[in-house]
Amino acid sequence: MTVTFQLNGDRCRFHDDPMTPLLDVLRQEKFLTGAKAVCREGFCGACTVHVDGEPVMSCLKPVGLVSGCSVTTIEGLSSGDQTLHPLQAAFEAADVVQCGMCFPGMVMSLSAFVRDNPEATRPEIKTAMSGNICRCTGYERIIDAVADHLEAQKSGRQAKETAHV
Amino acid sequence: MSETLSETAPELSATVMDLPRRDARDKLRGRTRYTVDRVRPDMLHAVLLRSNVPAGRIVKLDVEAARNAPGVRAIATGHDAPGLYGIGIADHPLLAIDTVRYHGEPIIAIAAETEAEARAALALVELEIEPLAPVLTMAEALAKNARLVHEGWRDYEVLTEGGAREGNIAWEARTTRGDVDAAFARPDVKIVETTIRVGRQSHAPFEPRTAIGSWENGRAHIETSTQVPWTVRNVTGRVLQLPPGRVRVTVPPVGGGFGLKFDATIEPITALLARMTGRTVVIENTRQEEMATCLCRENAEILIRSAVTADGEIAGREAVVLMDCGAYGGEQIFLSTMTAHTLGGNYRVGAMRLVSRAVYTNTPPNGAFRACNGVYNTFALERHTDEICQALGFDPLAFRKKNVLGDGDLGATGQVFEGDVLGPMLERMDGLRAVTGTAEDKADGRLYGRATTVGTWFVFVGPSAATINMNADGSATLVTSGVEIGSGTMMQSLPQIVAGQLGLTPDQVVVREADTDSAGLDVGVGGGRTTVSIGAASIGAADEVRNKLFGFASELLQTRPEELELVGGRVAIKGRPGSGIAISTVVQHAQTVSGPITGTGSFTGKPVPSMSGCAFGHMIEALEIPVFVVHEAEVAVDPDTGHVEVLAYRVVQDVGRALNRRAIMGQIQGGVVQGLGYALHEAVTISVDGRIREDGFETYRLPLAGDVVPVVADLYEGAPSSGPLGTKGAGEVPILGVAAAIGCAVANATGKQVRELPLTPPRVLGLLKGRETAPEFPHIAASFEANTLA
Amino acid sequence: MDMREGPERIFDSVATVAEAVDARAAGAAVLAGGTWIMRDPRRGVALPERIVALSKIAELQRVDVLDDRVSIGAAVTHAGLAQAINGLAGLEGLAAAATGAANPAIRRVATVGGNLCTLDFAAADLVPALLALDAQVELMVADGGRILPISTFLAERAVLLKTALLTRVIVPRAATASAHVRLPLRKAGDYPVAIVSVARASGGAIRVAVGSVEPVARRWTALEDELSGKAVTPEETQALAEKTNDFMGRDGIEAEGWYRREVLPALVRRAFAALQKGGAA
Ligand SMILES: Cc1cc2nc3c(=O)[nH]c(=O)nc-3n(C[C@H](O)[C@H](O)[C@H](O)COP(=O)(O)OP(=O)(O)OC[C@H]3O[C@@H](n4cnc5c(N)ncnc54)[C@H](O)[C@@H]3O)c2cc1C
Ligand code: FES
Ligand code: FES
């Protein structure tokens, strides 16, 4: 069977078993190895990609179900020499990365979270991370970086709003 | 030998900075290619046929049908790699030959064009195993007339002499200092005994063990996710019966190790299949395989007994530590040595004797895990200390302050400790608590407990080598066998150290990926040794480079070398920054005059010897650099469900010297959380048929963001260290004291004796409801001597 | 390049319930969010050779909130359900089940139908919540549909689901308040080891359902009988739960049976405390 979908803005066709996990299509067919296969059970989030703008676990997503959808991977979030996504920049500046295996998924998951929850509190950030495991960092500094990023966005917005008055 | 710095060595301040990591950006963008990301379509995929019984004899193995299956290119069996390997004793075949000793043991490997074809071919192999009654526990292994896991144990080649061994006891290490019998017989002592049982811990690094082997110009080249390229090289040589020089190992960025990748496992198989096929062969463990054959932190059983006087003097102590090595000796043989330093650490003790035994069972082999052996021995020692305090009516904190090791005190092997470190660290913890306050109000009606515990670790230094090549643009390339496993040592600390030595910025120091062809022997990344050993070797290499630069510059500048320094990318006249000449100019000049400027350095620790007659069967003399921790946990226990919530966590850690505080803080947060996993969530259990039951993330519960707290840490600087610039490894120890602090805090909260880990809700509820009883060890004899082979 | 051997898998992504029912009749297995099925290979179970996907059937993605009932399409996700019933009086327990299960990325994908139709899944969160609310399910087969109580569905689903498609769940709005207390071993992200769902009807009648303790969720009728007609404090419900605890806990890797059974009375107390405060938990 042939499945057609948008992949990082380009049309992508896949001819094979529609029950192939999207993750395997990305890694093995498209050599987009940013999404990681860690647990393949929906628990760790290392394979997170956006399907129509929403973060989902690509290990449990049969490619047949993304037919006609738009898929964005970590490679598509800020490609080429484009600047980093602000959250990536925040993670870099705060020196939170260790082995790094969880981070592509962490970024895909949390970039959507901060988009949708600009007012999130620290406990809400933690709850949002229940599907993103990190074995190295112990999380707290990631959470600090997300909270700081939200704070910075808020003051940026406020500054803009006052400027408009 | 270069641990003494030359006169002209730059000041420490040139090295101390909180730099971000150079590898972070690519990792955040998903561009970093770990080994697991390097699979190409032209590679063969290999899969392993594994035993589905814990013990048995292979009575039939017919691979003909599999050999003819579509896509199959080669099949390897144990006979293709007959050499045995191991640490201490060569007891481990690459692929089982005739006998299988654990559930999951690889028997054959099939390489095919695709993984699906390889798996399909696996199903065609005719394998019959005649099962044997498995020996699944240490109690069974040590029982009278127990079946031997290794019938031919006497015939194995002994790689390190000195350990006693017999039957299912793979190795025994012993320590005796002073007259323990006399101490226990004193009329003024009370004897307190504690039994402790702990389970395994699975590393669960996010990148599973993966290796890519090829055969190039008559040599094996293995690209692999390992912490120990040199071990992989040597083991591969051994099992393939090749001179190790015919094996080259290179290491891409490693997606987490934590000790799991401290041994060779699948790598030699890829080399073997590459030789058979002439193709590049990849083996990638599935997560299930990774966890079912994880070289876990070993399960252990401990009996510890002390004779303590009414005024709190520890007159004597003895302990038996049983470490389950699983089906093959592996790391546990080496780690049996550690008991002397971990269980034998922390406190001043009159007389002491300790025995630790690595015991064979028909279970998956265990291995090394961050602060190996120390984590549970510290738990045992600290719980025992609290039980002593309870039995004799001492305040636990005051008792610790009185008895912790100080300047001139003797360790278990007679090694003399230098400096008062733990005492002042305990005071610092009081100070830290005064600043943060306690979190009792957050207990919200649940049972509240707090505990302060101490821990002792030693950095095993071992040999390392480094080369620095100066480039014409003034940058430096650092070549070592160090591997970046995620802790930042190679990406952060070493460039910082080298840059500090050469007056460069860290981004001017290029770090060469580990390659056994280009750098000298290194025993691997672990135990907190990288910064220390490779750091010292790098400083040695930088010394040589500096001297050469000064030599040329002094001619060019007509200044004596003693008056020069390296600063801001220049060879400058001391005290006059901006003077002198650019390093790049000197390097270019040298290239035309006498060739490129390079420097090499090598390092190995100087063992502090044990007191004679103290240590038996120890693989290493003593561990050179002690590292201490003080941990404090506050917990709330839900009396209805047994859930333990960590309310606050504080650490005072002896770091020697902090070169990058932010990076150390990151290691502490990460290490403590791994320790919380071990203490509270991460259970590995063995099924009746010898399998690891928790073989995926659904059943093996790693801590999630919601389960952790921000760790508040105070870095204690200035303790004696022979490490470069006064550093000590900071990445290993953060996990050391966690189970101890949590275990003692839960005991304080519940008023129950905590003797087993992990403290999952069912176990804690069981404690509260009286369902949990103290572990009893019929296989540990009452008299100490009866537990030794000597 | 297709390296696969053998016949190609049949994968129908249909647009209507009728087509889906036809595909079922032709032997197709249902694929909803896939969060369960996709893990079949890991369990040693081969993926079905013939599949019908529900993701393009608009009708199954709807939640209709009416005065007397809420109708939930089988392909509504946990996240979609939580959003649709957020703030509806009486359905707090169901909303809590939909927001407490799994993790955000799974909730965005995993469906109500999938949660109810997965056999051998004792820890399903929605099941006890729907039992407590006295929900009904609508099944479709080639010759028509039928609506049956969820308890009947649970008892017979192994047989029914050989041919049927679950199309809707109908939740009567009879409850004034409901609560769902789940006990994962970690704070979040785990299957609950025990679940207590309770609902109070406008007349005061109480329904209690327990999930994850036994292989299939069920009502706690012995406790319901004790509670009938009484005004009790949460602490008293705990005592009654201790007295009427007739559950046989199942052993699992994560917890043994005794533990699941033992924690129930405390979970009952918590559920009733939540109920007093107006539901959820
Ligand atoms: C990481 C993780 C955590 C989880 N945690 C929880 C948790 O805490 N609580 C919880 O309750 N669950 C949990 N789950 C399980 C999850 O809820 C179920 O996997 C999910 O509800 C299944 O829905 P699905 O749409 O993905 O089903 P699918 O995988 O598509 O299908 C599951 C089964 O139901 C059948 N089926 C689906 N829809 C229909 C239908 N309309 N008619 C007939 N048959 C149908 C399918 O044929 C299949 O047999 C978790 C899962 C994961 C991966
Ligand atoms: S790999 Fe997909 S969630 Fe872990
Ligand atoms: S940084 Fe290693 S798993 Fe998160």
Side-chain angles (χ1 to χ4, degrees), chain A residues 27 31 33-34 36 38-39 41 43-44 74-75 78-80 82-84 88 91-95 97-104 107 126 129-130 133 135-141, chain B residues 20-21 25 27-31 33-34 36-37 41 201-204 206-207 255-256 258 287 485-486 492 662 666-667 669-670 673-674 682 696-698 702-705 708-710:
Chain A
R27 290 180 57 87
F31 300 98
T33 54
K36 306 297 180 203
V38 174
C39 71
E41 287 192 276
F43 283 92
C44 76
I74 187 76
E75 290 88 348
S78 75
S79 56
Q82 279 171 17
T83 49
L84 297 176
Q88 285 172 316
F91 286 161
E92 184 185 36
D95 195 30
V97 178
Q98 293 191 21
C99 89
M101 284 283 291
C102 65
F103 273 97
V107 167
K126 280 200 171 190
M129 286 170 69
S130 58
I133 301 181
R135 186 50 155 165
C136 302
T137 65
Y139 303 104
E140 291 292 342
R141 285 151 47 99
Chain B
R21 299 169 57 131
R25 183 170 294 198
K27 284 178 170 176
L28 284 162
R29 289 185 146 185
R31 293 180 184 175
R33 298 248 168 196
Y34 304 86
V36 78
D37 298 324
Q201 184 179 22
S202 187
H203 312 67
F206 265 33
E207 184 190 26
F258 317 117
R287 180 57 55 182
I485 61 170
Q492 223 166 4
R662 204 165 58 157
Q667 287 297 307
Q669 178 73 37
V673 166
Q674 252 176 16
E682 298 177 29
F697 283 16
E698 180 180 313
L702 298 166
L704 305 178
V708 311
V709 289

Side-chain angles (χ1 to χ4, degrees), chain C residues 67-69 89-91 133-134 171-177 199-205:
Chain C
D67 286 346
D68 60 339
R69 63 186 190 276
L91 300 188
L133 292 169
D134 203 17
V171 184
R173 297 190 62 185
T176 52
R200 184 192 290 117
S202 45

Side-chain angles (χ1 to χ4, degrees), chain A residues 23 36-47 57-60:
Chain A
L23 176 65
K36 306 297 180 203
V38 174
C39 71
R40 289 181 174 275
E41 287 192 276
F43 283 92
C44 76
C47 64
M57 312 294 201
S58 64
C59 65
L60 297 184

